[in-house]
Amino acid sequence: SIANNGDATFSGNVNATTAGSKFIFGHSSYLNTGTSDYPQIHYSNKGNTLLLAEWSATNASEPTLRFLKSASSTIGTNALVADDENLGAIVFNAADGTDLLSIAATITAYVDGTPGAGDMPGRLVFATTADGADTSTARMIINSSGNVHIGGTSAPSTKLLVTGDAEFTQALSGSAQIVRVKNNYVGNSSPARLIIQTRGWTDSDAI
């Protein structure tokens, strides 16, 4: 049992091996593992859950998993990050029979534009690993404008961009619709159009 109100240094493992054991950090404290190691939490038949719990009487308070990134190696500094900088990732690794280095999927956040005080544009990249590989490939991007690109890595300029085949299916019965294109712009008399583009396409080919 260790009780310490100041700094504490551990040179070995910190184990909580009995029911009710706990390791608590205050709101202004942090765990510094140096420059080569990183903190790890290992479970063995304990339900395999990392729990973030919040007890609060107000709706404005919630349990939060927060990633903080500063462009400095000095803890506590607020060095400005840059466009396209990696801000954090959730990485799913699994044992492949040899080691735990194989990645199955990742979710990564990047700066998506020029940041500044009170201005931090971001994008999310969702990646999965193909059969026969051990590193993930970007499959879907949501950029700072809220535009989505599925099947590619280029920045989408429209609300939805799909690279590759896409299929829309629905049972054809009654008034069921397969694809609906609707123009909600008030004051625009031009009808919404479904554009099917092929080689040699011109605007007059729009439906």
Side-chain angles (χ1 to χ4, degrees):
S1 176
I2 299 175
N4 193 351
N5 293 323
D7 294 338
T9 301
F10 302 93
S11 59
N13 296 329
V14 178
N15 297 316
T17 57
T18 59
S21 298
K22 49 189 174 287
F23 194 42
I24 300 176
F25 290 93
H27 68 89
S28 61
S29 61
Y30 58 84
L31 178 63
N32 183 0
T33 59
T35 58
S36 59
D37 297 321
Y38 48 88
Q40 303 177 53
I41 300 176
H42 295 258
Y43 291 97
S44 177
N45 300 322
K46 299 294 184 181
N48 305 318
T49 299
L50 177 61
L51 177 65
L52 301 178
E54 170 84 13
W55 282 262
S56 175
T58 64
N59 187 46
S61 183
E62 73 284 337
T64 302
L65 179 62
R66 190 182 298 271
F67 297 84
L68 304 179
K69 177 67 180 293
S70 172
S72 170
S73 58
T74 302
I75 293 177
T77 58
N78 297 305
L80 180 65
V81 293
D83 181 25
D84 208 40
E85 187 160 337
N86 187 327
L87 300 181
I90 300 175
V91 182
F92 301 87
N93 287 61
D96 59 6
T98 301
D99 53 40
L100 286 163
L101 301 179
S102 294
I103 298 173
T106 63
I107 303 173
T108 309
Y110 296 88
V111 180
D112 194 43
T114 303
D119 180 15
M120 191 56 60
R123 74 177 180 273
L124 286 175
V125 177
F126 297 81
T128 60
T129 301
D131 189 17
D134 61 1
T135 56
S136 56
T137 301
R139 309 296 186 184
M140 183 174 74
I141 296 173
I142 305 176
N143 69 7
S144 58
S145 299
N147 297 338
V148 179
H149 187 179
I150 300 175
T153 58
S154 62
S157 58
T158 57
K159 285 304 177 184
L160 178 61
L161 171 63
V162 178
T163 299
D165 297 337
E167 181 177 339
F168 301 88
T169 60
Q170 183 172 325
L172 297 177
S173 61
S175 59
Q177 299 167 332
I178 296 179
V179 178
R180 183 182 182 185
V181 181
K182 186 177 181 181
N183 187 351
N184 288 322
Y185 182 70
V186 177
N188 187 353
S189 59
S190 299
R193 298 182 298 174
L194 174 62
I195 299 177
I196 301 176
Q197 181 174 344
T198 61
R199 181 172 298 178
W201 170 84
T202 63
D203 190 60
S204 60
D205 294 325
I207 300 175

